[in-house]
Amino acid sequence: MKKIFRRLFLSTLVALAIPASQVYAQEKSIVVSSTTSTEQSGLFNYMLPIFKMKTGIEVKVVAVGTGQALDIGRRGDADVVFVHDKPAEEKFIDEGFSTKRYEVMYNDFVLIGPKSDPAKIAGGKDIQVALQKIAAAQAPFVSRADKSGTHAAELRYWKGAGVTIPPSQAWYKETGSGMGPALNTASAMNGYILADRGTWLSFKNRGDLTILVQGDPKLFNQYGVMLVNPAKYPNVKKVQGQEFIDWLISKNGQDVIASYKIDGEQLFFPNAK
């Protein structure tokens, strides 16, 4: 009886067995260090299951500011970096931490603020003029202050506006946090904040906040992806990492990015070359 049971048990296992190639595929995974906006906007939750279904590769995301994401790549603790600060990305390549940058998609930054708009910037098309008015009014402004791509862009806009932010300004609040938590702070204090449109569209705790300035060409927000240099870090999963990049810039990957919408509004616009 035991022998019969054993044969039945083994035959069941054989019948249910997953092919070895599929088992191997299920075990494949890569680490992607990325900006918080790709995660907090919901794009990764939408996109990565589709990629895994197609390739069997699991993508483990470390979502931090762009500066921190690049530093993770510099330490060899990620296979791929997916960020949005082109000057910093080009420096990453110049330092030998990657050999090629691929453009993937874009959206834009928007200047958010309270509907009461104490700095009177609503409807403006020039981000630098808007920041000058906020500084002149000393209206509450929330900065991520986390070396992210959004923070880097904010600092460029302040510089372009000719405004130097002295330390310890009561009206200028530095959070050192990701886009979502920084937006929560702005909502709580009814302050102005620079945000990427994708995270803003997915943000629920808006309170009295609304978009006040948009459409300035300077607010263009490009995302790029790079494989961490396997010649520098042999542990980098070159094949799987490149497969993820190739999918992102393929027609299928670009179509998936374009199809991600919230309330009918597209969050990211593919532009791989």
Side-chain angles (χ1 to χ4, degrees):
M1 188 70 179
K2 287 183 180 179
K3 289 182 179 179
I4 294 173
F5 177 77
R6 186 170 181 273
R7 283 198 299 270
L8 287 170
F9 179 70
L10 289 174
S11 63
T12 301
L13 285 181
V14 170
L16 295 176
I18 299 171
S21 59
Q22 190 173 340
V23 171
Y24 174 71
Q26 288 177 343
E27 293 174 346
K28 292 191 294 183
S29 67
I30 58 171
V31 174
V32 174
S33 60
S34 184
T35 170
T36 59
S37 60
T38 46
E39 181 183 59
Q40 292 176 359
S41 65
L43 176 65
F44 276 155
N45 286 339
Y46 175 78
M47 179 177 71
L48 295 183
I50 298 172
F51 173 71
K52 183 177 180 180
M53 188 182 302
K54 185 174 181 63
T55 65
I57 299 172
E58 180 182 1
V59 178
K60 300 175 181 178
V61 177
V62 181
V64 288
T66 285
Q68 292 173 279
L70 290 168
D71 285 342
I72 290 170
R74 286 187 176 93
R75 296 194 298 269
D77 291 332
D79 304 296
V80 174
V81 291
F82 188 0
V83 289
H84 64 142
D85 184 355
K86 188 173 181 178
E89 295 164 49
E90 290 173 339
K91 182 181 179 184
F92 188 80
I93 290 174
D94 290 343
E95 294 169 342
F97 292 105
S98 182
T99 60
K100 187 171 182 179
R101 173 184 176 274
Y102 302 80
E103 295 195 342
V104 179
M105 62 190 188
Y106 70 92
N107 60 9
D108 62 342
F109 294 112
V110 288
L111 189 56
I112 308 296
K115 294 172 185 175
S116 58
D117 190 22
K120 308 301 180 190
I121 64 169
K125 296 293 185 182
D126 190 319
I127 181 63
Q128 292 171 178
V129 170
L131 292 178
Q132 289 169 350
K133 290 180 177 179
I134 291 171
Q138 295 195 353
F141 185 93
V142 176
S143 172
R144 285 179 59 172
D146 63 348
K147 298 183 180 179
S148 62
T150 304
H151 181 223
E154 180 213 318
L155 294 180
R156 288 196 300 271
Y157 302 147
W158 283 118
K159 184 177 180 180
V163 177
T164 300
I165 305 295
S168 304
Q169 287 291 304
W171 62 273
Y172 186 81
K173 171 72 173 177
E174 296 181 305
T175 65
S177 63
M179 194 71 257
L183 279 166
N184 279 324
T185 300
S187 179
M189 63 187 294
N190 242 12
Y192 295 93
I193 185 170
L194 183 75
D196 69 280
R197 189 182 294 271
T199 305
W200 170 250
L201 288 174
S202 63
F203 183 64
K204 305 300 182 186
N205 182 31
R206 296 184 179 183
D208 195 44
L209 300 183
T210 189
I211 295 176
L212 296 175
V213 176
Q214 59 184 324
D216 186 335
K218 293 187 289 294
L219 293 171
F220 179 79
N221 181 29
Q222 178 70 52
Y223 288 78
V225 67
M226 298 175 288
L227 180 73
V228 176
N229 192 349
K232 185 177 285 287
Y233 296 107
N235 60 295
V236 167
K237 295 177 181 177
K238 176 182 178 180
V239 174
Q240 293 96 324
Q242 189 63 50
E243 190 170 352
F244 176 59
I245 291 171
D246 290 344
W247 181 79
L248 283 174
I249 64 175
S250 72
K251 185 181 186 306
N252 180 236
Q254 297 277 281
D255 287 346
V256 169
I257 291 168
S259 68
Y260 179 55
K261 299 178 181 180
I262 292 180
D263 296 330
E265 189 163 355
Q266 187 172 332
L267 276 71
F268 298 95
F269 297 84
N271 66 341
K273 297 176 180 178

